[in-house]
Amino acid sequence: KLHIANTALHYGQSVFEGMKAFAWEDGSVHIFRPDENCARMTNSANRIMMPMLEEATFVEGVSKVVADNRDYVPAYGSGGALY
C-alpha cells in the first residue's frame, strides 16, 4: 500500500491554501487576510522543502489575479466570495 500523500504519485509537489476576496458596499474588493494566508503557505512549503515567495511578492501576485478576475467576485450583500 502507498499513502495517499505520497508525492511520487504526483507530477510535482504542491501546497494549497484557500483564499477569499469579497466585494464591499463601495464597490471595492478586499482579499481576506492575505498576510496570514502567505504565512500558512510558507509554513506548508517549508515542510516539503519548496521555495516560497517573499510576502510582498505573494500579496502583489494575488492582488493582480483578483483584479484581473474582478468580474467574478460576487456582488456585495450576496454572501458570496471569489475563492
Side-chain angles (χ1 to χ4, degrees):
K1 285 186 172 182
L2 293 176
H3 191 275
I4 190 70
N6 185 331
T7 56
L9 299 177
H10 302 282
Y11 291 106
Q13 291 178 306
S14 63
V15 294
F16 175 81
E17 176 66 36
M19 183 180 297
K20 293 181 180 181
F22 296 93
W24 283 32
E25 191 171 13
D26 66 1
S28 62
V29 174
H30 295 259
I31 301 165
F32 186 70
R33 299 181 181 166
D35 55 331
E36 292 181 23
N37 184 279
C38 184
R40 290 189 300 271
M41 287 283 287
T42 298
N43 184 44
S44 295
N46 286 336
R47 287 181 177 191
I48 58 174
M49 297 184 282
M50 287 179 63
M52 186 59 190
L53 299 171
E54 295 292 325
E55 182 179 316
T57 304
F58 176 86
V59 172
E60 179 184 356
V62 169
S63 297
K64 286 181 179 181
V65 169
V66 170
D68 287 349
N69 289 279
R70 172 63 180 96
D71 292 343
Y72 300 101
V73 178
Y76 173 79
S78 69
L82 176 67
Y83 188 75

